[in-house]
Amino acid sequence: MIKAFIFDLDGTLLDSEILWVDVVGEALKKKGCVMAQSDAMKLVYGMAWSDIYRNVEKMFPGVYPGIEEMQKATEDMYYEIVKTKDIRIVSSINLLEKLSVKYPVAIVSGSTRETIRKAIKFMKIQEHVDYVLGSEDYSPGKPDPVCFLLAAKKMGVSPDECMVFEDSAAGVNGAKAAGMICIALQRAGRPKQNVNQADEILSDLAGFSPEKYGIILDSREK
């Protein structure tokens, strides 16, 4: 029986994963470090910031003196882009809101807590999210299951009572390693990830059927 839900942020609730790929690549390019987009995707997709920076440091030692400097460089570019476009994935946000009426909901992301906080405010879902885990809260990052196991512990449920919504191979593999049911979002027009380990793959979370998993949607006071 499913008793709690975990949502990824970038690429699942916001169409932002590809933006992070672009700004990380641009931040490196400004330092004279050129990276193909395919390599930037491998570096960024589904990964925690700590792991992204660690891998950047291996490839280009000393390019950024610390993780904070690289985060700031990329975040400045990211937020400039977001000012000009609506990146909300509305059907995913709607599902989160519906599930939160009865069940606890957590957002578990490789982004920083501050980035997640801003995203929650941007999506206007403050009252629907019970727990947040950002990159500062766990190590190593996805596909290690530690972040999902920590979320389950915080929500007071066992891992097999959790359902995860993810868009990346790292996220799906981490959720399954944690013993959780995982629904993969694979949207048209976005780079394909190997999410074959997921229990179900959907092109839009509007197509998610709660009844299929014995999930009953009704009311609970938030």
Side-chain angles (χ1 to χ4, degrees):
M1 181 181 294
I2 304 300
K3 295 183 179 179
F5 295 88
I6 298 171
F7 281 78
D8 173 50
L9 176 63
D10 299 298
T12 302
L13 292 169
L14 294 178
D15 188 18
S16 50
E17 193 96 76
I18 195 66
L19 295 184
W20 286 115
V21 170
D22 291 342
V23 298
V24 166
E26 185 62 24
L28 290 172
K29 184 179 178 181
K30 286 184 176 182
K31 293 286 190 175
C33 305
V34 179
M35 176 179 286
Q37 189 184 46
S38 58
D39 292 329
M41 283 177 54
K42 292 176 185 176
L43 177 69
V44 172
Y45 255 76
M47 299 299 179
W49 253 112
S50 55
D51 293 328
I52 292 172
Y53 180 74
R54 187 180 302 113
N55 288 326
V56 165
E57 184 64 16
K58 287 179 182 177
M59 290 183 284
F60 308 109
V63 63
Y64 280 96
I67 189 171
E68 293 82 7
E69 288 81 2
M70 186 172 178
Q71 283 176 339
K72 186 178 187 312
T74 55
E75 286 172 1
D76 287 348
M77 287 186 281
Y78 172 80
Y79 287 117
E80 281 301 310
I81 295 171
V82 170
K83 286 179 184 178
T84 67
K85 62 196 317 185
D86 187 353
I87 60 172
R88 292 174 298 173
I89 305 177
V90 176
S91 54
S92 297
I93 295 169
N94 287 343
L95 177 61
L96 182 152
E97 291 176 346
K98 289 177 183 177
L99 293 171
S100 77
V101 174
K102 182 178 179 182
Y103 302 94
V105 170
I107 291 179
V108 176
S109 172
S111 291
T112 64
R113 282 195 303 268
E114 179 63 13
T115 298
I116 300 168
R117 184 192 67 78
K118 289 179 180 178
I120 289 173
K121 185 177 180 181
F122 172 67
M123 293 183 282
K124 299 179 181 179
I125 57 172
Q126 295 95 320
E127 66 183 282
H128 300 284
V129 179
D130 299 289
Y131 302 95
V132 166
L133 287 178
S135 59
E136 308 97 320
D137 298 312
Y138 59 88
S139 182
K142 305 170 187 177
D144 192 283
V146 65
C147 58
F148 296 111
L149 296 174
L150 180 57
K153 184 177 181 180
K154 284 182 173 292
M155 291 190 285
V157 298
S158 64
D160 61 359
E161 293 173 325
C162 294
M163 177 176 282
V164 179
F165 295 94
E166 271 281 357
D167 74 298
S168 71
V172 169
N173 294 341
K176 293 310 298 177
M180 299 178 178
I181 292 176
C182 185
I183 310 300
L185 176 61
Q186 195 166 71
R187 299 172 70 231
R190 285 292 167 255
K192 292 287 185 182
Q193 290 276 294
N194 182 1
V195 292
N196 292 334
Q197 281 200 45
D199 296 275
E200 186 175 1
I201 301 173
L202 298 173
S203 60
D204 192 315
L205 292 189
F208 175 71
S209 174
E211 297 81 8
K212 181 176 178 179
Y213 298 93
I215 298 164
I216 300 171
L217 300 182
D218 58 20
S219 64
R220 86 168 161 101
E221 198 70 27
K222 289 293 288 182

mmCIF file with all atom_site columns, all heavy atoms in Angstrom, residues 13-26:
data_model
loop_
_atom_site.group_PDB
_atom_site.id
_atom_site.type_symbol
_atom_site.label_atom_id
_atom_site.label_alt_id
_atom_site.label_comp_id
_atom_site.label_asym_id
_atom_site.label_entity_id
_atom_site.label_seq_id
_atom_site.pdbx_PDB_ins_code
_atom_site.Cartn_x
_atom_site.Cartn_y
_atom_site.Cartn_z
_atom_site.occupancy
_atom_site.B_iso_or_equiv
_atom_site.pdbx_formal_charge
_atom_site.auth_seq_id
_atom_site.auth_comp_id
_atom_site.auth_asym_id
_atom_site.auth_atom_id
_atom_site.pdbx_PDB_model_num
ATOM 1   N N   . LEU A 1 13 ? 8.833  18.327 -12.226 1.00 0.00 ? 13 LEU A N   1
ATOM 2   C CA  . LEU A 1 13 ? 7.869  19.386 -11.906 1.00 0.00 ? 13 LEU A CA  1
ATOM 3   C C   . LEU A 1 13 ? 8.136  20.659 -12.712 1.00 0.00 ? 13 LEU A C   1
ATOM 4   O O   . LEU A 1 13 ? 7.204  21.407 -13.027 1.00 0.00 ? 13 LEU A O   1
ATOM 5   C CB  . LEU A 1 13 ? 7.932  19.712 -10.412 1.00 0.00 ? 13 LEU A CB  1
ATOM 6   C CG  . LEU A 1 13 ? 7.442  18.609 -9.464  1.00 0.00 ? 13 LEU A CG  1
ATOM 7   C CD1 . LEU A 1 13 ? 7.801  18.958 -8.025  1.00 0.00 ? 13 LEU A CD1 1
ATOM 8   C CD2 . LEU A 1 13 ? 5.943  18.394 -9.596  1.00 0.00 ? 13 LEU A CD2 1
ATOM 9   N N   . LEU A 1 14 ? 9.390  20.873 -13.031 1.00 0.00 ? 14 LEU A N   1
ATOM 10  C CA  . LEU A 1 14 ? 9.785  22.019 -13.854 1.00 0.00 ? 14 LEU A CA  1
ATOM 11  C C   . LEU A 1 14 ? 10.575 21.540 -15.058 1.00 0.00 ? 14 LEU A C   1
ATOM 12  O O   . LEU A 1 14 ? 11.398 20.625 -14.943 1.00 0.00 ? 14 LEU A O   1
ATOM 13  C CB  . LEU A 1 14 ? 10.658 22.986 -13.050 1.00 0.00 ? 14 LEU A CB  1
ATOM 14  C CG  . LEU A 1 14 ? 10.019 23.717 -11.867 1.00 0.00 ? 14 LEU A CG  1
ATOM 15  C CD1 . LEU A 1 14 ? 11.072 24.582 -11.168 1.00 0.00 ? 14 LEU A CD1 1
ATOM 16  C CD2 . LEU A 1 14 ? 8.846  24.574 -12.309 1.00 0.00 ? 14 LEU A CD2 1
ATOM 17  N N   . ASP A 1 15 ? 10.348 22.164 -16.200 1.00 0.00 ? 15 ASP A N   1
ATOM 18  C CA  . ASP A 1 15 ? 11.091 21.820 -17.415 1.00 0.00 ? 15 ASP A CA  1
ATOM 19  C C   . ASP A 1 15 ? 12.436 22.534 -17.367 1.00 0.00 ? 15 ASP A C   1
ATOM 20  O O   . ASP A 1 15 ? 12.757 23.377 -18.201 1.00 0.00 ? 15 ASP A O   1
ATOM 21  C CB  . ASP A 1 15 ? 10.291 22.238 -18.643 1.00 0.00 ? 15 ASP A CB  1
ATOM 22  C CG  . ASP A 1 15 ? 10.921 21.739 -19.931 1.00 0.00 ? 15 ASP A CG  1
ATOM 23  O OD1 . ASP A 1 15 ? 11.747 20.803 -19.876 1.00 0.00 ? 15 ASP A OD1 1
ATOM 24  O OD2 . ASP A 1 15 ? 10.576 22.283 -20.991 1.00 0.00 ? 15 ASP A OD2 1
ATOM 25  N N   . SER A 1 16 ? 13.221 22.180 -16.357 1.00 0.00 ? 16 SER A N   1
ATOM 26  C CA  . SER A 1 16 ? 14.452 22.921 -16.056 1.00 0.00 ? 16 SER A CA  1
ATOM 27  C C   . SER A 1 16 ? 15.722 22.099 -16.225 1.00 0.00 ? 16 SER A C   1
ATOM 28  O O   . SER A 1 16 ? 16.821 22.668 -16.257 1.00 0.00 ? 16 SER A O   1
ATOM 29  C CB  . SER A 1 16 ? 14.386 23.432 -14.605 1.00 0.00 ? 16 SER A CB  1
ATOM 30  O OG  . SER A 1 16 ? 14.028 22.383 -13.722 1.00 0.00 ? 16 SER A OG  1
ATOM 31  N N   . GLU A 1 17 ? 15.602 20.783 -16.328 1.00 0.00 ? 17 GLU A N   1
ATOM 32  C CA  . GLU A 1 17 ? 16.794 19.936 -16.411 1.00 0.00 ? 17 GLU A CA  1
ATOM 33  C C   . GLU A 1 17 ? 17.678 20.340 -17.584 1.00 0.00 ? 17 GLU A C   1
ATOM 34  O O   . GLU A 1 17 ? 18.898 20.493 -17.451 1.00 0.00 ? 17 GLU A O   1
ATOM 35  C CB  . GLU A 1 17 ? 16.390 18.471 -16.546 1.00 0.00 ? 17 GLU A CB  1
ATOM 36  C CG  . GLU A 1 17 ? 17.529 17.498 -16.329 1.00 0.00 ? 17 GLU A CG  1
ATOM 37  C CD  . GLU A 1 17 ? 17.596 16.974 -14.915 1.00 0.00 ? 17 GLU A CD  1
ATOM 38  O OE1 . GLU A 1 17 ? 16.776 16.123 -14.567 1.00 0.00 ? 17 GLU A OE1 1
ATOM 39  O OE2 . GLU A 1 17 ? 18.470 17.430 -14.157 1.00 0.00 ? 17 GLU A OE2 1
ATOM 40  N N   . ILE A 1 18 ? 17.055 20.549 -18.743 1.00 0.00 ? 18 ILE A N   1
ATOM 41  C CA  . ILE A 1 18 ? 17.833 20.912 -19.924 1.00 0.00 ? 18 ILE A CA  1
ATOM 42  C C   . ILE A 1 18 ? 18.440 22.307 -19.778 1.00 0.00 ? 18 ILE A C   1
ATOM 43  O O   . ILE A 1 18 ? 19.520 22.597 -20.315 1.00 0.00 ? 18 ILE A O   1
ATOM 44  C CB  . ILE A 1 18 ? 16.977 20.813 -21.209 1.00 0.00 ? 18 ILE A CB  1
ATOM 45  C CG1 . ILE A 1 18 ? 17.859 20.827 -22.466 1.00 0.00 ? 18 ILE A CG1 1
ATOM 46  C CG2 . ILE A 1 18 ? 15.905 21.889 -21.258 1.00 0.00 ? 18 ILE A CG2 1
ATOM 47  C CD1 . ILE A 1 18 ? 18.746 19.607 -22.593 1.00 0.00 ? 18 ILE A CD1 1
ATOM 48  N N   . LEU A 1 19 ? 17.779 23.189 -19.014 1.00 0.00 ? 19 LEU A N   1
ATOM 49  C CA  . LEU A 1 19 ? 18.329 24.517 -18.767 1.00 0.00 ? 19 LEU A CA  1
ATOM 50  C C   . LEU A 1 19 ? 19.606 24.430 -17.931 1.00 0.00 ? 19 LEU A C   1
ATOM 51  O O   . LEU A 1 19 ? 20.576 25.145 -18.194 1.00 0.00 ? 19 LEU A O   1
ATOM 52  C CB  . LEU A 1 19 ? 17.306 25.399 -18.048 1.00 0.00 ? 19 LEU A CB  1
ATOM 53  C CG  . LEU A 1 19 ? 16.032 25.762 -18.804 1.00 0.00 ? 19 LEU A CG  1
ATOM 54  C CD1 . LEU A 1 19 ? 15.194 26.725 -17.972 1.00 0.00 ? 19 LEU A CD1 1
ATOM 55  C CD2 . LEU A 1 19 ? 16.337 26.355 -20.169 1.00 0.00 ? 19 LEU A CD2 1
ATOM 56  N N   . TRP A 1 20 ? 19.590 23.552 -16.920 1.00 0.00 ? 20 TRP A N   1
ATOM 57  C CA  . TRP A 1 20 ? 20.786 23.367 -16.104 1.00 0.00 ? 20 TRP A CA  1
ATOM 58  C C   . TRP A 1 20 ? 21.939 22.804 -16.936 1.00 0.00 ? 20 TRP A C   1
ATOM 59  O O   . TRP A 1 20 ? 23.096 23.190 -16.751 1.00 0.00 ? 20 TRP A O   1
ATOM 60  C CB  . TRP A 1 20 ? 20.497 22.450 -14.914 1.00 0.00 ? 20 TRP A CB  1
ATOM 61  C CG  . TRP A 1 20 ? 19.702 23.116 -13.843 1.00 0.00 ? 20 TRP A CG  1
ATOM 62  C CD1 . TRP A 1 20 ? 18.439 22.795 -13.433 1.00 0.00 ? 20 TRP A CD1 1
ATOM 63  C CD2 . TRP A 1 20 ? 20.104 24.218 -13.020 1.00 0.00 ? 20 TRP A CD2 1
ATOM 64  N NE1 . TRP A 1 20 ? 18.028 23.631 -12.421 1.00 0.00 ? 20 TRP A NE1 1
ATOM 65  C CE2 . TRP A 1 20 ? 19.030 24.508 -12.143 1.00 0.00 ? 20 TRP A CE2 1
ATOM 66  C CE3 . TRP A 1 20 ? 21.255 24.985 -12.932 1.00 0.00 ? 20 TRP A CE3 1
ATOM 67  C CZ2 . TRP A 1 20 ? 19.084 25.531 -11.204 1.00 0.00 ? 20 TRP A CZ2 1
ATOM 68  C CZ3 . TRP A 1 20 ? 21.320 26.010 -11.996 1.00 0.00 ? 20 TRP A CZ3 1
ATOM 69  C CH2 . TRP A 1 20 ? 20.242 26.275 -11.144 1.00 0.00 ? 20 TRP A CH2 1
ATOM 70  N N   . VAL A 1 21 ? 21.614 21.916 -17.870 1.00 0.00 ? 21 VAL A N   1
ATOM 71  C CA  . VAL A 1 21 ? 22.648 21.394 -18.778 1.00 0.00 ? 21 VAL A CA  1
ATOM 72  C C   . VAL A 1 21 ? 23.288 22.547 -19.548 1.00 0.00 ? 21 VAL A C   1
ATOM 73  O O   . VAL A 1 21 ? 24.517 22.657 -19.638 1.00 0.00 ? 21 VAL A O   1
ATOM 74  C CB  . VAL A 1 21 ? 22.042 20.370 -19.762 1.00 0.00 ? 21 VAL A CB  1
ATOM 75  C CG1 . VAL A 1 21 ? 23.056 20.003 -20.860 1.00 0.00 ? 21 VAL A CG1 1
ATOM 76  C CG2 . VAL A 1 21 ? 21.595 19.113 -19.031 1.00 0.00 ? 21 VAL A CG2 1
ATOM 77  N N   . ASP A 1 22 ? 22.442 23.420 -20.075 1.00 0.00 ? 22 ASP A N   1
ATOM 78  C CA  . ASP A 1 22 ? 22.938 24.532 -20.886 1.00 0.00 ? 22 ASP A CA  1
ATOM 79  C C   . ASP A 1 22 ? 23.767 25.518 -20.062 1.00 0.00 ? 22 ASP A C   1
ATOM 80  O O   . ASP A 1 22 ? 24.830 25.974 -20.511 1.00 0.00 ? 22 ASP A O   1
ATOM 81  C CB  . ASP A 1 22 ? 21.762 25.262 -21.541 1.00 0.00 ? 22 ASP A CB  1
ATOM 82  C CG  . ASP A 1 22 ? 21.080 24.422 -22.615 1.00 0.00 ? 22 ASP A CG  1
ATOM 83  O OD1 . ASP A 1 22 ? 21.691 23.445 -23.084 1.00 0.00 ? 22 ASP A OD1 1
ATOM 84  O OD2 . ASP A 1 22 ? 19.927 24.742 -22.963 1.00 0.00 ? 22 ASP A OD2 1
ATOM 85  N N   . VAL A 1 23 ? 23.294 25.853 -18.859 1.00 0.00 ? 23 VAL A N   1
ATOM 86  C CA  . VAL A 1 23 ? 24.020 26.869 -18.085 1.00 0.00 ? 23 VAL A CA  1
ATOM 87  C C   . VAL A 1 23 ? 25.312 26.317 -17.494 1.00 0.00 ? 23 VAL A C   1
ATOM 88  O O   . VAL A 1 23 ? 26.296 27.062 -17.361 1.00 0.00 ? 23 VAL A O   1
ATOM 89  C CB  . VAL A 1 23 ? 23.126 27.501 -16.987 1.00 0.00 ? 23 VAL A CB  1
ATOM 90  C CG1 . VAL A 1 23 ? 21.942 28.206 -17.606 1.00 0.00 ? 23 VAL A CG1 1
ATOM 91  C CG2 . VAL A 1 23 ? 22.699 26.504 -15.940 1.00 0.00 ? 23 VAL A CG2 1
ATOM 92  N N   . VAL A 1 24 ? 25.341 25.042 -17.156 1.00 0.00 ? 24 VAL A N   1
ATOM 93  C CA  . VAL A 1 24 ? 26.596 24.440 -16.697 1.00 0.00 ? 24 VAL A CA  1
ATOM 94  C C   . VAL A 1 24 ? 27.607 24.455 -17.839 1.00 0.00 ? 24 VAL A C   1
ATOM 95  O O   . VAL A 1 24 ? 28.788 24.807 -17.649 1.00 0.00 ? 24 VAL A O   1
ATOM 96  C CB  . VAL A 1 24 ? 26.379 23.006 -16.180 1.00 0.00 ? 24 VAL A CB  1
ATOM 97  C CG1 . VAL A 1 24 ? 27.715 22.271 -16.028 1.00 0.00 ? 24 VAL A CG1 1
ATOM 98  C CG2 . VAL A 1 24 ? 25.657 23.031 -14.831 1.00 0.00 ? 24 VAL A CG2 1
ATOM 99  N N   . GLY A 1 25 ? 27.145 24.081 -19.028 1.00 0.00 ? 25 GLY A N   1
ATOM 100 C CA  . GLY A 1 25 ? 28.034 24.117 -20.189 1.00 0.00 ? 25 GLY A CA  1
ATOM 101 C C   . GLY A 1 25 ? 28.547 25.520 -20.477 1.00 0.00 ? 25 GLY A C   1
ATOM 102 O O   . GLY A 1 25 ? 29.733 25.712 -20.777 1.00 0.00 ? 25 GLY A O   1
ATOM 103 N N   . GLU A 1 26 ? 27.664 26.512 -20.345 1.00 0.00 ? 26 GLU A N   1
ATOM 104 C CA  . GLU A 1 26 ? 28.054 27.900 -20.594 1.00 0.00 ? 26 GLU A CA  1
ATOM 105 C C   . GLU A 1 26 ? 29.005 28.408 -19.512 1.00 0.00 ? 26 GLU A C   1
ATOM 106 O O   . GLU A 1 26 ? 29.962 29.140 -19.811 1.00 0.00 ? 26 GLU A O   1
ATOM 107 C CB  . GLU A 1 26 ? 26.801 28.778 -20.645 1.00 0.00 ? 26 GLU A CB  1
ATOM 108 C CG  . GLU A 1 26 ? 27.066 30.232 -21.017 1.00 0.00 ? 26 GLU A CG  1
ATOM 109 C CD  . GLU A 1 26 ? 27.665 30.406 -22.407 1.00 0.00 ? 26 GLU A CD  1
ATOM 110 O OE1 . GLU A 1 26 ? 27.476 29.528 -23.257 1.00 0.00 ? 26 GLU A OE1 1
ATOM 111 O OE2 . GLU A 1 26 ? 28.338 31.436 -22.626 1.00 0.00 ? 26 GLU A OE2 1
#
